[in-house]
Amino acid sequence: MSLIVQKYGGTSVGNTERINSVAKRILETQRAGHQVVAVVSAMAGVTNRLIEMANEVSPDNEPTDREMDVLLATGEQTTIALTSMAINAMGGKAISLTGAQAGIVTDGDHTKARISNITPDEVHRLLDENHIVILAGFQGRSPDGRITTLGRGGSDLTAIAMAAAIDADLCQILTDVDGVYTCDPRVVPKARKIDEISYDEMLEMASSGSKVMQSRSVEFAKKFGVKFEVRSSLNENPGTIVTEEHPNMESVVVRGVSIEREQAKVTIENVSDEPGVAAKIFHAISDSGVVIDMIVQNVSKTNQTDISFTLHRSDLKKAKQTIDPILKDLGNESSIETTDGIGKLSVVGIGMRSHSGVAAQMFAALANNGINIQMISTSEIKTAVIIKEEDLEQSANIVHSAFNL
Ligand code: ASP
Ligand code: MG
């Protein structure tokens, strides 16, 4: 007998028919001889609808984060009750628990709380009595008893953290795709499911656009060594195992390709080449809440230089409005130029640490097809380029083939 944590995302429990199939699957897992804790998300679209309603009742000021969490936690609370009812109607024995009831304690940072500890006594007690535990994802309670939520996509974190707390034998993230792919199959038809991927690769893929799971939960899994599987709730296909890296993994140089659309670029030209200028720019940007990605500063020949950075297109206006008033402090002749219609293409793989020539091979493949590279950035396990957005899909296919993925 093993102890299994399963997590079903919003699409998997998107309507009552799907809840019934999920209930059946959970029950079958238990009947196969296992103890099961099933973490469920809010039904697809519900969290977004709740946020919309919050804005409708407080159009002129932001609702308090405390009330936001009381509201958002109801999404998952609906699903745990319905899932338990469905299992019980099938003759199983299920009990629902909210995050707080399951002993999940977080800090008090509403809407993005961090789990501080889990006391899973109640979970163990119910499992020992042969119950299936249906646990609300995405929520916990602060030390003083307030309802908290863990940030969008936080049900993944609930599953990983609970798996760590009860020392589960297996943690399965059941979703609407078969696993993690070498690239988005809608973009690259030849993309295939990856059997095994390291935490770091998964994190890099997510940060460059291939979002299968909340990044925070992958970080948590890495920190606590929770091995997990991402697989489909709609079929029985084996999924992708996400785990610690091991030497065999390095034989594959590139694990996957990811793309990020709707990027934009800000270039500030002719800024003074002296200490404090970059700090000024990026302080202002960070104070405005805009998240930036790549930063490139040119070599300076005349005591002036150019600084470019990329960001999501939706933040472009705000970034420009932030820089405009400080432009004159950056240099006598400085000016700002913005470009949208660009995107990011990345290749990721821990094998890059021990293999050279990955960047060269990627750039050559793009060059042979007449694709111009506007910016480049690298990390130990990633090479990323900024290109025209209209070239992204073709480029993803080119690079995917170049590395024989
Ligand atoms: N319901 C929450 C959200 O939509 C949490 C989750 O689905 O993981 O972000
Ligand atoms: Mg979700």
Side-chain angles (χ1 to χ4, degrees), residues 154-278:
S155 298
D156 291 334
L157 183 56
T158 304
I160 301 280
M162 187 52 81
I166 61 178
D167 197 16
D169 299 294
L170 186 62
C171 178
Q172 297 179 316
I173 307 291
L174 291 123
T175 174
D176 50 359
V177 291
D178 272 0
V180 183
Y181 278 72
T182 50
C183 193
D184 183 342
R186 286 166 302 188
V187 173
V188 176
K190 278 198 237 156
R192 44 170 196 84
K193 192 184 67 204
I194 300 170
D195 293 332
E196 196 180 44
I197 188 171
S198 71
Y199 298 122
D200 286 335
E201 289 168 328
M202 180 87 171
L203 285 166
E204 284 282 18
M205 299 269 288
S207 74
S208 47
S210 307
K211 202 145 202 105
V212 185
M213 269 177 82
Q214 188 206 39
S215 297
R216 235 165 112 177
S217 39
V218 182
E219 274 158 18
F220 191 101
K222 180 182 173 189
K223 191 163 161 200
F224 293 94
V226 181
K227 176 172 164 179
F228 61 93
E229 180 185 20
V230 180
R231 62 188 289 164
S232 172
S233 66
L234 308 169
N235 60 45
E236 297 296 327
N237 300 341
T240 302
I241 304 284
V242 187
T243 183
E244 253 148 43
E245 61 184 79
H246 51 77
N248 281 350
M249 283 183 171
E250 291 203 9
S251 58
V252 176
V253 184
V254 171
R255 185 84 50 205
V257 176
S258 53
I259 63 171
E260 212 167 347
R261 301 172 206 268
E262 299 190 5
Q263 300 296 293
K265 178 170 71 177
V266 174
T267 302
I268 309 170
E269 288 172 337
N270 302 321
V271 301
S272 313
D273 185 24
E274 62 184 37
V277 171

Side-chain angles (χ1 to χ4, degrees), residues 7 16 44 47 101 107 110 119 126 152 171 195 200 220 226 262 264 271 273 275-276 286 316 338 371 403 405:
K7 180 259 173 178
T16 48
T47 308
Q101 290 171 333
D107 61 19
H110 284 294
T119 314
L126 292 168
R152 296 308 303 271
C171 178
D195 293 332
D200 286 335
F220 191 101
V226 181
E262 299 190 5
V271 301
D273 185 24
S286 102
L316 186 55
T338 61
I371 309 280
F403 289 102
L405 288 177

